[in-house]
Amino acid sequence: MLEKIINTDNSKTTIIIRLIVGVVFLSEGIQKFLFPAIRGAGRFEKIGLPSPDLLGSFVGAFEIICGFLLLIGLCSRLASIPLLIVMLVAFTTTKSDVYLEKGFWELLHGSRTDWAMLLGSFYLLIKGSGFWSVDKALMKNEK
């Protein structure tokens, strides 16, 4: 089972996607704890999510942990799953109003980082960690 999770190819460019997605999620997770009123619980309360204090900490912790795992390339496939869920929830809770009130193009403009994180996470789910990763080193050690 672990072998399937850490299995990856020899792509030397996957690190670029891992760094982009990992840094953004790590940073956003940290900010949910540093600035809870505007990035964490306060924001979650403003958009009407239940238990905003608990949810803010929960999402922030997942973003920190999964972002870090992506940065080092450990279990990137597994780490990308919660991040995909975070992005899908973010789209449905924060972007649907933009679409309804301001239209398609404003939605695309206002969600460009969201799209990049969603698609980057999806890419990592499919491809894995790539050549420069802990996963690749673990694969070498198992052979």
Side-chain angles (χ1 to χ4, degrees):
M1 176 84 161
L2 180 63
E3 189 175 315
K4 287 183 180 183
I5 293 171
I6 67 169
N7 187 32
T8 189
D9 60 15
N10 288 318
S11 174
K12 294 181 179 174
T13 56
T14 299
I15 193 170
I16 297 168
I17 304 297
R18 278 193 8 244
L19 292 175
I20 292 168
V21 176
V23 164
V24 169
F25 276 110
L26 179 65
S27 168
E28 288 297 316
I30 291 170
Q31 289 180 64
K32 281 180 178 58
F33 290 101
L34 292 177
F35 313 108
I38 58 173
R39 300 278 187 262
R43 175 148 173 79
F44 288 9
E45 183 177 26
K46 182 180 174 185
I47 59 177
L49 293 175
S51 305
D53 291 325
L54 176 65
L55 195 56
S57 297
F58 183 76
V59 171
F62 263 98
E63 289 178 341
I64 292 168
I65 293 165
C66 295
F68 177 74
L69 290 173
L70 292 182
L71 286 175
I72 64 172
L74 178 60
C75 299
S76 293
R77 282 192 168 96
L78 193 59
S80 67
I81 295 170
L83 301 179
L84 283 164
I85 294 167
V86 166
M87 292 315 305
L88 291 171
V89 171
F91 267 109
T92 58
T93 58
T94 64
K95 302 302 185 227
S96 57
D97 287 343
V98 173
Y99 175 70
L100 294 172
E101 293 173 14
K102 298 182 180 179
F104 178 74
W105 293 110
E106 189 64 31
L107 168 72
L108 288 182
H109 173 72
S111 62
R112 57 195 179 276
T113 304
D114 298 330
W115 282 108
M117 294 303 100
L118 180 71
L119 295 174
S121 298
F122 189 62
Y123 174 89
L124 294 170
L125 176 65
I126 294 168
K127 294 287 284 181
S129 298
F131 185 78
W132 287 301
S133 66
V134 173
D135 285 349
K136 191 67 172 178
L138 291 172
M139 285 176 54
K140 288 179 187 176
N141 289 338
E142 286 192 14
K143 291 182 179 181

